[in-house]
Amino acid sequence: MIAFDKAGVADKGTIGRDMAISFTETIERHAASWFINGFNTSYTSYSDGKPLFSTLHTRVDGGAAFSNASSTGLALTHDNLAAAIQLMSETLDDRGNMVMIKPKYLLVPPALETQALEIVKSSGRSDTADNVSNVMGMREYTGGMINVVVWPYLGSAAGGSDTAWFLLSDTKVLKWYWVEGFKPQIGLTDTTDQNKTGQIAFAGKMMRAMGWGNPRGIWGSKGDGAANAS
């Protein structure tokens, strides 16, 4: 095949590139699944047995449950984003103390990109015709300067939602673990038998785990207007 491969299908570089694409696709889809399944009670954590986004996260001290999700599926609007920022800033730890979380990223699917950018980056408020300051984009406002991150793997084309949106703090809440020695190794080539049989072996490997422990520092809404009591 290599000898008569005029299209470069069996070229070492082509196969290595395709392996890299496959690895990237796998990583993106698995990482996005945290958010796509984040409201599903079948996908829970060892920390409290709740989904990643829940209105009933339990506290170690037995205090009142805390929420990191919209109970009514709030759509992405200026006022709803402001409400979500307030809820995150008032998050308590397992002893009832303030965590002092500052939202930094607004994570959305492609369908919400334009709306998210209008809300966060426009010089005036996107929801009014009056010339009112857009506090979400003010550099001197500590709750402002939210960064919009658009992730195609969250959208319906990738099995996700076109209405769900999320807030993330600058604290590393979600973690991706690689098994030592098994970070992605792409395009490893074995030419041992090339001269004897004409065969070249291409290999790629990785081993990883994903999940979350403490759900504080991340907030989500289905954005569909439906009640969420998980």
Side-chain angles (χ1 to χ4, degrees):
M1 184 173 68
I2 294 176
F4 297 96
D5 180 22
K6 303 303 181 183
V9 176
D11 180 77
K12 297 178 184 179
T14 301
I15 294 178
R17 180 200 64 196
D18 290 343
M19 281 186 173
I21 293 173
S22 177
F23 274 28
T24 301
E25 176 83 4
T26 299
I27 293 170
E28 293 276 5
R29 287 189 177 277
H30 278 257
S33 69
W34 282 333
F35 299 91
I36 293 174
N37 299 311
F39 301 92
N40 191 330
T41 55
S42 296
Y43 294 83
T44 59
S45 165
Y46 288 114
S47 59
D48 63 1
K50 301 295 182 181
L52 176 56
F53 302 104
S54 173
T55 59
L56 299 171
H57 282 299
T58 56
R59 279 173 32 189
V60 174
D61 67 352
F66 71 93
S67 171
N68 70 336
S70 169
S71 61
T72 56
L74 291 175
L76 179 59
T77 66
H78 180 279
D79 288 342
N80 289 344
L81 176 58
I85 291 173
Q86 178 183 347
L87 290 172
M88 283 193 70
S89 66
E90 295 174 345
T91 302
L92 303 179
D93 65 16
D94 283 321
R95 295 184 177 182
N97 301 315
M98 298 293 294
V99 181
M100 302 301 291
I101 294 174
K102 179 181 177 182
K104 186 174 182 180
Y105 303 101
L106 173 58
L107 182 63
V108 298
L112 294 180
E113 177 177 8
T114 299
Q115 188 173 352
L117 291 173
E118 286 179 351
I119 293 172
V120 174
K121 299 301 180 183
S122 59
S123 58
R125 283 185 54 156
S126 62
D127 61 338
T128 176
D130 299 327
N131 188 20
V132 180
S133 296
N134 178 25
V135 296
M136 299 299 181
M138 292 172 62
R139 188 174 300 277
E140 61 269 28
Y141 169 55
T142 58
M145 294 307 293
I146 298 291
N147 296 310
V148 175
V149 178
V150 182
W151 197 3
Y153 284 86
L154 293 180
S156 59
S161 166
D162 288 333
T163 62
W165 54 283
F166 311 91
L167 273 177
L168 284 72
S169 73
D170 53 5
T171 303
K172 295 182 179 180
V173 180
L174 302 176
K175 298 185 182 297
W176 186 278
Y177 291 103
W178 300 106
V179 176
E180 186 174 354
F182 278 88
K183 289 186 177 181
Q185 298 179 20
I186 300 168
L188 301 179
T189 307
D190 182 358
T191 59
T192 304
D193 296 326
Q194 183 177 7
N195 292 329
K196 296 180 180 179
T197 64
Q199 295 180 348
I200 298 177
F202 297 89
K205 62 181 180 180
M206 67 175 177
M207 187 179 294
R208 75 283 180 274
M210 61 182 186
W212 72 92
N214 190 338
R216 295 174 176 86
I218 187 169
W219 188 93
S221 173
K222 291 183 178 180
D224 57 2
N228 172 35
S230 61

